[in-house]
Amino acid sequence: MSESAVTGRVDAAHWRVRPAFGWKTVLTVVVAFVLLSVSAHRIELHRLSSQLGEFLQASVGLKESSQIGRGIGSVTQQMYPIAIAERTPVSLIDDFDPARLPLFSRLETERVEESALDPETMQMTTTTVEKTFLVEPAGYLTFTLGKMLETVEMAIWASLFAVLMSLPLSWIAARNFTPHSALYAIARSFISFLRAVPELISALFLVLAFGFGAIAGILALALHSVGFLAKFFAEEIEAADKVPQDAVRATGAGDFAVLRLAVLPQVLPSYTALSFYILDRNIRMGTVIGLVGAGGIGQELKGRYDMFQYDHVATILLIIFLSVLTLDALAAKIRHKLI
Amino acid sequence: MNNTRSCSIGPQAVLTVDAACKTFADGPTVLDSVSLRIEPGSFCVLLGASGSGKTTLLRSVIGLTPLDAGFIDVGGVKLSPRTMRNLRRNVGMVHQDFGLSARLTAAQNVMAGTVPDLPMWRVLFQAYSKSVQDRACGLLAHVGLEEGHVNRPVSGLSGGQKQRVGIARALINFPKLILADEPVASLDPQTAQDVMGLLRRCAEEQGAAVLCSLHQINLSRTYADRIIGLREGRIVFDGPPSQLSQDMLARIFGAEREGFSLSMAVA
Ligand SMILES: Nc1ncnc2c1ncn2[C@@H]1O[C@H](COP(=O)(O)OP(=O)(O)OP(=O)(O)O)[C@@H](O)[C@H]1O
Ligand SMILES: [Mg+2]
């Protein structure tokens, strides 16, 4: 090439530059469009636009009500005010000692009208009884925060296990470093399997195996995270720049040293970013898998939702939302420091 | 310079390349039956146009580019998958594009040259022994890297500084043979002179032979005691710098490049 640059002897008149888009790209776009249209028809996507239109008309007063508005409205009305205090009937507390109340809490006595069936007259009678409640002003808030903390701890443990498992697994699952092609195939299938099982489903079964609570949740999150992390870790290894690898190999080093000294330094930033993403995801997923009894704030959410206690639901949702925001900001700071 | 020695065929060559052939998939033939012997302590320069196969030849010596045919022998050990790692320990390579791990420090990159002999945990934690650390510092000082750069990631070093780190790494394992692939590319003329002098001096001190590809004809004349001309994968010249005439340059770089070669040689 330099020869021609110097002498100018090669005639470039017939050279052609390859266009950025070919017929293959156009075909792909057309096929994708057709498939999407078919799919939209199948899942009745048109209802989305008609319902949204109805809702918009109702909100500007053109229509009396809309399905979306009715559905949302009844719930949101009950959500306010959100539940912050905890009121427990004293009669429900074991070994209640009025002399030693928890911090900041007080006792409230109320007259409550109780209806009961009189067994003799077979008629409903209403009597007024005095009931004492233990009121903790921020009781429910602190309780929910504790549940959120449990979810965050679950997510941290799950992510930690996932990273530790994914590091060796990604070595086997990287085409250019795998000890054996059969191991490669096995590792890749295993990883795909883990990724294919959603945590909500594995949690259902893990709850059966390990009982309700955080352990099942941690395992469910970790297994799915391994399926995700190991795949991307392996792909980072495969895509790493070969030049430093060749240089370490040229000294006579084996695979392990090449991975440690030439690959790991290259992939470390993306490994960190992926691990933080997985932590972030596990915190959000951790709130969800509680719905099937796998511990954390989700379990609390499910209970309150089933009992129609939407003021408590509102507190839970608010705490989840604020925690995810806070942790997101925190993670961004840590990532900035590490990378 | 000892010109007769470099052309003689002695019994104990440090490197023997015999009928090396290489053709990349759907590419032209890059090495076409290349044979050469390099004596201990000699400083050979590989000249050739871009794409003539210099990098391919150097990489094939330590098995980074596997050959299609022919064999390689380093210090009496024939290159094979079984002997490869042991053979590589006796060879130091300065790579064309440095081959440094950007996020490791200069010292860590140099010490990485000793890993084949280390236990796994030392590699994992990059826990090098005091003697290796001292040797790395000594070499870095020797190649002229300032102390302030020793513990900086090499991504923050200039091209010339990276080149020095690459040379120090090639030297750390007491190689018998140093392969240097365009070690002065992208360096200014003064630094290029320094680096070539350094390579020559280090090789002499350690008694290592050097096979070094270059594009600078004037530098080759100054530092080489033997020049090997490669053209389209074939050796077209092999002799001392004094025999490198204009005709020979034309043979190496192509007749139409005579004027160009001349200007390069004068530069
Ligand atoms: N990995 C590869 N796959 C395919 N072709 C290759 C590969 N490496 C080198 N080549 C081809 O082999 C030929 C010789 O390349 P080589 O790098 O050995 O040349 P060189 O003499 O070192 O050139 P330069 O002076 O530019 O470094 C070139 O035509 C190049 O395209
Ligand atoms: Mg080259």
Side-chain angles (χ1 to χ4, degrees), chain B residues 19-65:
Chain B
C21 295
K22 179 71 189 180
T23 306
F24 284 106
D26 62 82
T29 299
V30 182
L31 294 181
D32 189 358
S33 194
V34 171
S35 298
L36 57 92
R37 289 166 65 88
I38 292 182
E39 318 301 317
S42 67
F43 196 107
C44 302
V45 164
L46 207 51
L47 277 184
S50 261
S52 57
K54 302 182 298 294
T55 300
T56 308
L57 177 60
L58 291 174
R59 284 171 59 93
S60 70
V61 167
I62 49 171
L64 282 180
T65 301

mmCIF file of all heavy atoms in Angstrom, chain B residues 19-65:
data_model
loop_
_atom_site.group_PDB
_atom_site.id
_atom_site.type_symbol
_atom_site.label_atom_id
_atom_site.label_comp_id
_atom_site.label_asym_id
_atom_site.label_seq_id
_atom_site.Cartn_x
_atom_site.Cartn_y
_atom_site.Cartn_z
ATOM 1 N N ALA B 19 13.456 -23.185 7.120
ATOM 2 C CA ALA B 19 12.393 -23.304 6.103
ATOM 3 C C ALA B 19 11.024 -22.954 6.664
ATOM 4 O O ALA B 19 10.054 -23.706 6.525
ATOM 5 C CB ALA B 19 12.376 -24.714 5.525
ATOM 6 N N ALA B 20 10.949 -21.788 7.336
ATOM 7 C CA ALA B 20 9.682 -21.368 7.931
ATOM 8 C C ALA B 20 8.737 -20.869 6.841
ATOM 9 O O ALA B 20 9.107 -20.021 6.028
ATOM 10 C CB ALA B 20 9.927 -20.266 8.948
ATOM 11 N N CYS B 21 7.523 -21.412 6.836
ATOM 12 C CA CYS B 21 6.509 -20.986 5.877
ATOM 13 C C CYS B 21 5.239 -20.598 6.627
ATOM 14 O O CYS B 21 4.869 -21.247 7.597
ATOM 15 C CB CYS B 21 6.155 -22.105 4.898
ATOM 16 S SG CYS B 21 7.518 -22.568 3.836
ATOM 17 N N LYS B 22 4.610 -19.525 6.144
ATOM 18 C CA LYS B 22 3.353 -19.109 6.767
ATOM 19 C C LYS B 22 2.476 -18.428 5.730
ATOM 20 O O LYS B 22 2.896 -17.519 5.025
ATOM 21 C CB LYS B 22 3.628 -18.129 7.923
ATOM 22 C CG LYS B 22 2.369 -17.623 8.605
ATOM 23 C CD LYS B 22 1.703 -18.709 9.417
ATOM 24 C CE LYS B 22 0.341 -18.269 9.905
ATOM 25 N NZ LYS B 22 -0.300 -19.346 10.697
ATOM 26 N N THR B 23 1.243 -18.886 5.644
ATOM 27 C CA THR B 23 0.241 -18.227 4.819
ATOM 28 C C THR B 23 -0.989 -18.051 5.681
ATOM 29 O O THR B 23 -1.484 -19.017 6.259
ATOM 30 C CB THR B 23 -0.117 -19.091 3.585
ATOM 31 O OG1 THR B 23 1.079 -19.400 2.887
ATOM 32 C CG2 THR B 23 -1.061 -18.346 2.671
ATOM 33 N N PHE B 24 -1.443 -16.805 5.837
ATOM 34 C CA PHE B 24 -2.658 -16.583 6.613
ATOM 35 C C PHE B 24 -3.859 -16.972 5.771
ATOM 36 O O PHE B 24 -3.801 -16.914 4.543
ATOM 37 C CB PHE B 24 -2.780 -15.119 7.043
ATOM 38 C CG PHE B 24 -1.862 -14.768 8.170
ATOM 39 C CD1 PHE B 24 -0.731 -14.000 7.937
ATOM 40 C CD2 PHE B 24 -2.113 -15.207 9.457
ATOM 41 C CE1 PHE B 24 0.125 -13.681 8.976
ATOM 42 C CE2 PHE B 24 -1.265 -14.889 10.485
ATOM 43 C CZ PHE B 24 -0.141 -14.123 10.250
ATOM 44 N N ALA B 25 -4.934 -17.357 6.420
ATOM 45 C CA ALA B 25 -6.141 -17.733 5.697
ATOM 46 C C ALA B 25 -6.521 -16.612 4.738
ATOM 47 O O ALA B 25 -6.524 -15.445 5.116
ATOM 48 C CB ALA B 25 -7.281 -17.993 6.694
ATOM 49 N N ASP B 26 -6.831 -16.969 3.519
ATOM 50 C CA ASP B 26 -7.138 -16.069 2.403
ATOM 51 C C ASP B 26 -6.241 -14.827 2.348
ATOM 52 O O ASP B 26 -6.682 -13.739 2.061
ATOM 53 C CB ASP B 26 -8.630 -15.676 2.367
ATOM 54 C CG ASP B 26 -9.074 -14.909 3.602
ATOM 55 O OD1 ASP B 26 -8.845 -13.689 3.649
ATOM 56 O OD2 ASP B 26 -9.614 -15.537 4.521
ATOM 57 N N GLY B 27 -4.955 -15.046 2.621
ATOM 58 C CA GLY B 27 -3.993 -13.958 2.459
ATOM 59 C C GLY B 27 -2.841 -14.422 1.602
ATOM 60 O O GLY B 27 -2.784 -15.587 1.217
ATOM 61 N N PRO B 28 -1.917 -13.512 1.302
ATOM 62 C CA PRO B 28 -0.752 -13.925 0.526
ATOM 63 C C PRO B 28 0.211 -14.716 1.419
ATOM 64 O O PRO B 28 0.042 -14.764 2.632
ATOM 65 C CB PRO B 28 -0.134 -12.604 0.091
ATOM 66 C CG PRO B 28 -0.535 -11.651 1.168
ATOM 67 C CD PRO B 28 -1.864 -12.112 1.674
ATOM 68 N N THR B 29 1.210 -15.327 0.820
ATOM 69 C CA THR B 29 2.231 -16.023 1.590
ATOM 70 C C THR B 29 3.081 -14.981 2.308
ATOM 71 O O THR B 29 3.640 -14.085 1.673
ATOM 72 C CB THR B 29 3.100 -16.882 0.672
ATOM 73 O OG1 THR B 29 2.249 -17.837 0.051
ATOM 74 C CG2 THR B 29 4.172 -17.602 1.463
ATOM 75 N N VAL B 30 3.145 -15.080 3.642
ATOM 76 C CA VAL B 30 3.847 -14.060 4.420
ATOM 77 C C VAL B 30 5.288 -14.477 4.689
ATOM 78 O O VAL B 30 6.195 -13.652 4.674
ATOM 79 C CB VAL B 30 3.104 -13.799 5.747
ATOM 80 C CG1 VAL B 30 3.799 -12.718 6.540
ATOM 81 C CG2 VAL B 30 1.674 -13.394 5.472
ATOM 82 N N LEU B 31 5.499 -15.757 4.950
ATOM 83 C CA LEU B 31 6.863 -16.274 5.093
ATOM 84 C C LEU B 31 7.022 -17.404 4.080
ATOM 85 O O LEU B 31 6.226 -18.335 4.046
ATOM 86 C CB LEU B 31 7.108 -16.803 6.515
ATOM 87 C CG LEU B 31 7.098 -15.777 7.644
ATOM 88 C CD1 LEU B 31 7.381 -16.463 8.970
ATOM 89 C CD2 LEU B 31 8.090 -14.667 7.385
ATOM 90 N N ASP B 32 8.056 -17.266 3.256
ATOM 91 C CA ASP B 32 8.237 -18.232 2.177
ATOM 92 C C ASP B 32 9.581 -18.910 2.368
ATOM 93 O O ASP B 32 10.601 -18.437 1.894
ATOM 94 C CB ASP B 32 8.145 -17.495 0.831
ATOM 95 C CG ASP B 32 8.113 -18.473 -0.327
ATOM 96 O OD1 ASP B 32 8.201 -19.688 -0.079
ATOM 97 O OD2 ASP B 32 8.010 -17.995 -1.474
ATOM 98 N N SER B 33 9.593 -19.989 3.109
ATOM 99 C CA SER B 33 10.789 -20.786 3.322
ATOM 100 C C SER B 33 11.954 -19.938 3.848
ATOM 101 O O SER B 33 13.007 -19.847 3.234
ATOM 102 C CB SER B 33 11.182 -21.480 2.018
ATOM 103 O OG SER B 33 12.124 -22.479 2.287
ATOM 104 N N VAL B 34 11.734 -19.310 4.996
ATOM 105 C CA VAL B 34 12.770 -18.470 5.606
ATOM 106 C C VAL B 34 13.688 -19.334 6.471
ATOM 107 O O VAL B 34 13.209 -20.094 7.315
ATOM 108 C CB VAL B 34 12.133 -17.366 6.473
ATOM 109 C CG1 VAL B 34 13.193 -16.636 7.278
ATOM 110 C CG2 VAL B 34 11.359 -16.399 5.616
ATOM 111 N N SER B 35 14.987 -19.251 6.242
ATOM 112 C CA SER B 35 15.955 -19.972 7.076
ATOM 113 C C SER B 35 17.003 -18.988 7.537
ATOM 114 O O SER B 35 17.499 -18.175 6.748
ATOM 115 C CB SER B 35 16.624 -21.095 6.282
ATOM 116 O OG SER B 35 15.668 -22.035 5.871
ATOM 117 N N LEU B 36 17.334 -19.025 8.820
ATOM 118 C CA LEU B 36 18.445 -18.198 9.299
ATOM 119 C C LEU B 36 18.966 -18.738 10.615
ATOM 120 O O LEU B 36 18.267 -19.467 11.329
ATOM 121 C CB LEU B 36 18.039 -16.732 9.439
ATOM 122 C CG LEU B 36 16.858 -16.349 10.323
ATOM 123 C CD1 LEU B 36 17.324 -16.042 11.734
ATOM 124 C CD2 LEU B 36 16.185 -15.112 9.754
ATOM 125 N N ARG B 37 20.229 -18.408 10.929
ATOM 126 C CA ARG B 37 20.843 -18.810 12.187
ATOM 127 C C ARG B 37 21.400 -17.560 12.843
ATOM 128 O O ARG B 37 21.984 -16.720 12.170
ATOM 129 C CB ARG B 37 22.009 -19.772 11.933
ATOM 130 C CG ARG B 37 21.584 -21.148 11.455
ATOM 131 C CD ARG B 37 22.783 -21.892 10.912
ATOM 132 N NE ARG B 37 23.765 -22.157 11.956
ATOM 133 C CZ ARG B 37 23.739 -23.235 12.742
ATOM 134 N NH1 ARG B 37 22.800 -24.133 12.572
ATOM 135 N NH2 ARG B 37 24.651 -23.427 13.666
ATOM 136 N N ILE B 38 21.212 -17.464 14.138
ATOM 137 C CA ILE B 38 21.746 -16.297 14.846
ATOM 138 C C ILE B 38 22.684 -16.776 15.937
ATOM 139 O O ILE B 38 22.328 -17.644 16.743
ATOM 140 C CB ILE B 38 20.601 -15.432 15.386
ATOM 141 C CG1 ILE B 38 19.892 -14.813 14.188
ATOM 142 C CG2 ILE B 38 21.125 -14.355 16.309
ATOM 143 C CD1 ILE B 38 18.787 -13.903 14.525
ATOM 144 N N GLU B 39 23.903 -16.212 15.927
ATOM 145 C CA GLU B 39 24.940 -16.637 16.876
ATOM 146 C C GLU B 39 24.742 -15.902 18.190
ATOM 147 O O GLU B 39 24.198 -14.793 18.229
ATOM 148 C CB GLU B 39 26.335 -16.311 16.324
ATOM 149 C CG GLU B 39 26.528 -16.613 14.856
ATOM 150 C CD GLU B 39 26.282 -18.071 14.516
ATOM 151 O OE1 GLU B 39 26.742 -18.933 15.282
ATOM 152 O OE2 GLU B 39 25.599 -18.342 13.516
ATOM 153 N N PRO B 40 25.201 -16.502 19.282
ATOM 154 C CA PRO B 40 25.120 -15.816 20.577
ATOM 155 C C PRO B 40 25.817 -14.460 20.505
ATOM 156 O O PRO B 40 26.882 -14.332 19.898
ATOM 157 C CB PRO B 40 25.849 -16.759 21.525
ATOM 158 C CG PRO B 40 25.777 -18.093 20.876
ATOM 159 C CD PRO B 40 25.775 -17.847 19.404
ATOM 160 N N GLY B 41 25.224 -13.460 21.102
ATOM 161 C CA GLY B 41 25.857 -12.160 21.205
ATOM 162 C C GLY B 41 25.775 -11.292 19.973
ATOM 163 O O GLY B 41 26.247 -10.152 20.002
ATOM 164 N N SER B 42 25.174 -11.772 18.891
ATOM 165 C CA SER B 42 25.134 -10.923 17.698
ATOM 166 C C SER B 42 23.927 -9.989 17.735
ATOM 167 O O SER B 42 22.946 -10.249 18.433
ATOM 168 C CB SER B 42 25.108 -11.782 16.436
ATOM 169 O OG SER B 42 23.901 -12.492 16.362
ATOM 170 N N PHE B 43 24.032 -8.909 16.990
ATOM 171 C CA PHE B 43 22.952 -7.922 16.929
ATOM 172 C C PHE B 43 22.487 -7.854 15.481
ATOM 173 O O PHE B 43 23.139 -7.247 14.643
ATOM 174 C CB PHE B 43 23.464 -6.559 17.416
ATOM 175 C CG PHE B 43 22.363 -5.589 17.748
ATOM 176 C CD1 PHE B 43 22.080 -5.269 19.068
ATOM 177 C CD2 PHE B 43 21.612 -4.989 16.745
ATOM 178 C CE1 PHE B 43 21.063 -4.374 19.380
ATOM 179 C CE2 PHE B 43 20.589 -4.103 17.053
ATOM 180 C CZ PHE B 43 20.315 -3.799 18.374
ATOM 181 N N CYS B 44 21.375 -8.517 15.202
ATOM 182 C CA CYS B 44 20.883 -8.587 13.824
ATOM 183 C C CYS B 44 19.691 -7.667 13.649
ATOM 184 O O CYS B 44 18.819 -7.611 14.510
ATOM 185 C CB CYS B 44 20.436 -9.998 13.476
ATOM 186 S SG CYS B 44 21.726 -11.198 13.678
ATOM 187 N N VAL B 45 19.667 -6.963 12.529
ATOM 188 C CA VAL B 45 18.523 -6.104 12.229
ATOM 189 C C VAL B 45 17.785 -6.677 11.040
ATOM 190 O O VAL B 45 18.390 -7.111 10.062
ATOM 191 C CB VAL B 45 18.984 -4.663 11.949
ATOM 192 C CG1 VAL B 45 17.869 -3.884 11.268
ATOM 193 C CG2 VAL B 45 19.357 -3.980 13.248
ATOM 194 N N LEU B 46 16.469 -6.711 11.179
ATOM 195 C CA LEU B 46 15.588 -7.225 10.140
ATOM 196 C C LEU B 46 15.025 -6.013 9.405
ATOM 197 O O LEU B 46 14.333 -5.193 9.993
ATOM 198 C CB LEU B 46 14.470 -8.005 10.831
ATOM 199 C CG LEU B 46 13.742 -9.136 10.131
ATOM 200 C CD1 LEU B 46 14.696 -10.141 9.537
ATOM 201 C CD2 LEU B 46 12.829 -9.809 11.146
ATOM 202 N N LEU B 47 15.381 -5.891 8.113
ATOM 203 C CA LEU B 47 14.862 -4.772 7.327
ATOM 204 C C LEU B 47 13.817 -5.293 6.358
ATOM 205 O O LEU B 47 13.909 -6.431 5.891
ATOM 206 C CB LEU B 47 15.997 -4.112 6.525
ATOM 207 C CG LEU B 47 16.877 -3.073 7.222
ATOM 208 C CD1 LEU B 47 17.866 -2.496 6.209
ATOM 209 C CD2 LEU B 47 16.047 -1.961 7.817
ATOM 210 N N GLY B 48 12.860 -4.457 6.042
ATOM 211 C CA GLY B 48 11.855 -4.875 5.070
ATOM 212 C C GLY B 48 10.703 -3.902 5.061
ATOM 213 O O GLY B 48 10.433 -3.243 6.070
ATOM 214 N N ALA B 49 10.029 -3.833 3.931
ATOM 215 C CA ALA B 49 8.911 -2.900 3.812
ATOM 216 C C ALA B 49 7.776 -3.348 4.718
ATOM 217 O O ALA B 49 7.774 -4.458 5.233
ATOM 218 C CB ALA B 49 8.439 -2.852 2.362
ATOM 219 N N SER B 50 6.800 -2.489 4.898
ATOM 220 C CA SER B 50 5.612 -2.844 5.667
ATOM 221 C C SER B 50 4.924 -4.034 5.021
ATOM 222 O O SER B 50 4.748 -4.068 3.806
ATOM 223 C CB SER B 50 4.642 -1.660 5.694
ATOM 224 O OG SER B 50 4.780 -0.978 6.891
ATOM 225 N N GLY B 51 4.580 -5.008 5.808
ATOM 226 C CA GLY B 51 3.898 -6.179 5.266
ATOM 227 C C GLY B 51 4.836 -7.221 4.712
ATOM 228 O O GLY B 51 4.397 -8.227 4.152
ATOM 229 N N SER B 52 6.151 -7.027 4.878
ATOM 230 C CA SER B 52 7.095 -8.007 4.318
ATOM 231 C C SER B 52 7.196 -9.241 5.205
ATOM 232 O O SER B 52 7.813 -10.221 4.814
ATOM 233 C CB SER B 52 8.467 -7.366 4.142
ATOM 234 O OG SER B 52 8.919 -6.872 5.380
ATOM 235 N N GLY B 53 6.640 -9.206 6.399
ATOM 236 C CA GLY B 53 6.603 -10.403 7.234
ATOM 237 C C GLY B 53 7.514 -10.353 8.442
ATOM 238 O O GLY B 53 7.746 -11.376 9.086
ATOM 239 N N LYS B 54 8.003 -9.170 8.816
ATOM 240 C CA LYS B 54 8.939 -9.064 9.944
ATOM 241 C C LYS B 54 8.271 -9.483 11.247
ATOM 242 O O LYS B 54 8.793 -10.320 11.993
ATOM 243 C CB LYS B 54 9.465 -7.617 10.075
ATOM 244 C CG LYS B 54 10.155 -7.075 8.852
ATOM 245 C CD LYS B 54 10.684 -5.676 9.046
ATOM 246 C CE LYS B 54 9.614 -4.646 9.341
ATOM 247 N NZ LYS B 54 8.687 -4.423 8.217
ATOM 248 N N THR B 55 7.115 -8.889 11.530
ATOM 249 C CA THR B 55 6.414 -9.233 12.775
ATOM 250 C C THR B 55 6.046 -10.715 12.793
ATOM 251 O O THR B 55 6.218 -11.394 13.812
ATOM 252 C CB THR B 55 5.151 -8.365 12.914
ATOM 253 O OG1 THR B 55 5.545 -6.997 12.942
ATOM 254 C CG2 THR B 55 4.396 -8.694 14.183
ATOM 255 N N THR B 56 5.569 -11.215 11.672
ATOM 256 C CA THR B 56 5.187 -12.629 11.595
ATOM 257 C C THR B 56 6.386 -13.515 11.921
ATOM 258 O O THR B 56 6.266 -14.484 12.684
ATOM 259 C CB THR B 56 4.653 -12.936 10.193
ATOM 260 O OG1 THR B 56 3.642 -11.981 9.873
ATOM 261 C CG2 THR B 56 4.077 -14.336 10.135
ATOM 262 N N LEU B 57 7.545 -13.193 11.375
ATOM 263 C CA LEU B 57 8.744 -14.002 11.632
ATOM 264 C C LEU B 57 9.099 -13.967 13.111
ATOM 265 O O LEU B 57 9.340 -15.005 13.736
ATOM 266 C CB LEU B 57 9.914 -13.480 10.779
ATOM 267 C CG LEU B 57 11.257 -14.181 10.998
ATOM 268 C CD1 LEU B 57 11.137 -15.658 10.673
ATOM 269 C CD2 LEU B 57 12.349 -13.544 10.144
ATOM 270 N N LEU B 58 9.121 -12.765 13.691
ATOM 271 C CA LEU B 58 9.513 -12.643 15.102
ATOM 272 C C LEU B 58 8.524 -13.376 16.002
ATOM 273 O O LEU B 58 8.929 -14.068 16.938
ATOM 274 C CB LEU B 58 9.601 -11.160 15.494
ATOM 275 C CG LEU B 58 10.765 -10.394 14.854
ATOM 276 C CD1 LEU B 58 10.681 -8.916 15.188
ATOM 277 C CD2 LEU B 58 12.094 -10.955 15.330
ATOM 278 N N ARG B 59 7.248 -13.219 15.721
ATOM 279 C CA ARG B 59 6.246 -13.885 16.568
ATOM 280 C C ARG B 59 6.301 -15.399 16.422
ATOM 281 O O ARG B 59 6.047 -16.135 17.381
ATOM 282 C CB ARG B 59 4.842 -13.377 16.217
ATOM 283 C CG ARG B 59 4.548 -11.980 16.771
ATOM 284 C CD ARG B 59 3.244 -11.436 16.208
ATOM 285 N NE ARG B 59 2.120 -12.301 16.535
ATOM 286 C CZ ARG B 59 1.349 -12.146 17.605
ATOM 287 N NH1 ARG B 59 1.592 -11.157 18.435
ATOM 288 N NH2 ARG B 59 0.346 -12.973 17.837
ATOM 289 N N SER B 60 6.636 -15.863 15.232
ATOM 290 C CA SER B 60 6.653 -17.316 15.028
ATOM 291 C C SER B 60 7.800 -17.963 15.806
ATOM 292 O O SER B 60 7.718 -19.135 16.149
ATOM 293 C CB SER B 60 6.763 -17.641 13.538
ATOM 294 O OG SER B 60 8.038 -17.294 13.065
ATOM 295 N N VAL B 61 8.838 -17.186 16.117
ATOM 296 C CA VAL B 61 9.983 -17.751 16.839
ATOM 297 C C VAL B 61 9.555 -18.267 18.211
ATOM 298 O O VAL B 61 10.033 -19.298 18.680
ATOM 299 C CB VAL B 61 11.095 -16.689 16.989
ATOM 300 C CG1 VAL B 61 12.142 -17.140 17.992
ATOM 301 C CG2 VAL B 61 11.741 -16.418 15.641
ATOM 302 N N ILE B 62 8.611 -17.598 18.861
ATOM 303 C CA ILE B 62 8.167 -18.078 20.172
ATOM 304 C C ILE B 62 6.755 -18.655 20.092
ATOM 305 O O ILE B 62 6.083 -18.805 21.103
ATOM 306 C CB ILE B 62 8.227 -16.974 21.244
ATOM 307 C CG1 ILE B 62 7.563 -15.708 20.735
ATOM 308 C CG2 ILE B 62 9.650 -16.720 21.666
ATOM 309 C CD1 ILE B 62 7.402 -14.662 21.787
ATOM 310 N N GLY B 63 6.326 -18.974 18.898
ATOM 311 C CA GLY B 63 5.075 -19.700 18.755
ATOM 312 C C GLY B 63 3.829 -18.858 18.922
ATOM 313 O O GLY B 63 2.738 -19.402 19.059
ATOM 314 N N LEU B 64 3.947 -17.536 18.937
ATOM 315 C CA LEU B 64 2.742 -16.704 19.027
ATOM 316 C C LEU B 64 1.974 -16.779 17.717
ATOM 317 O O LEU B 64 0.752 -16.697 17.698
ATOM 318 C CB LEU B 64 3.107 -15.250 19.345
ATOM 319 C CG LEU B 64 3.468 -14.941 20.787
ATOM 320 C CD1 LEU B 64 3.809 -13.476 20.952
ATOM 321 C CD2 LEU B 64 2.337 -15.325 21.724
ATOM 322 N N THR B 65 2.707 -16.883 16.600
ATOM 323 C CA THR B 65 2.088 -17.160 15.307
ATOM 324 C C THR B 65 2.559 -18.538 14.885
ATOM 325 O O THR B 65 3.740 -18.720 14.594
ATOM 326 C CB THR B 65 2.518 -16.107 14.264
ATOM 327 O OG1 THR B 65 2.125 -14.822 14.732
ATOM 328 C CG2 THR B 65 1.878 -16.374 12.919
#
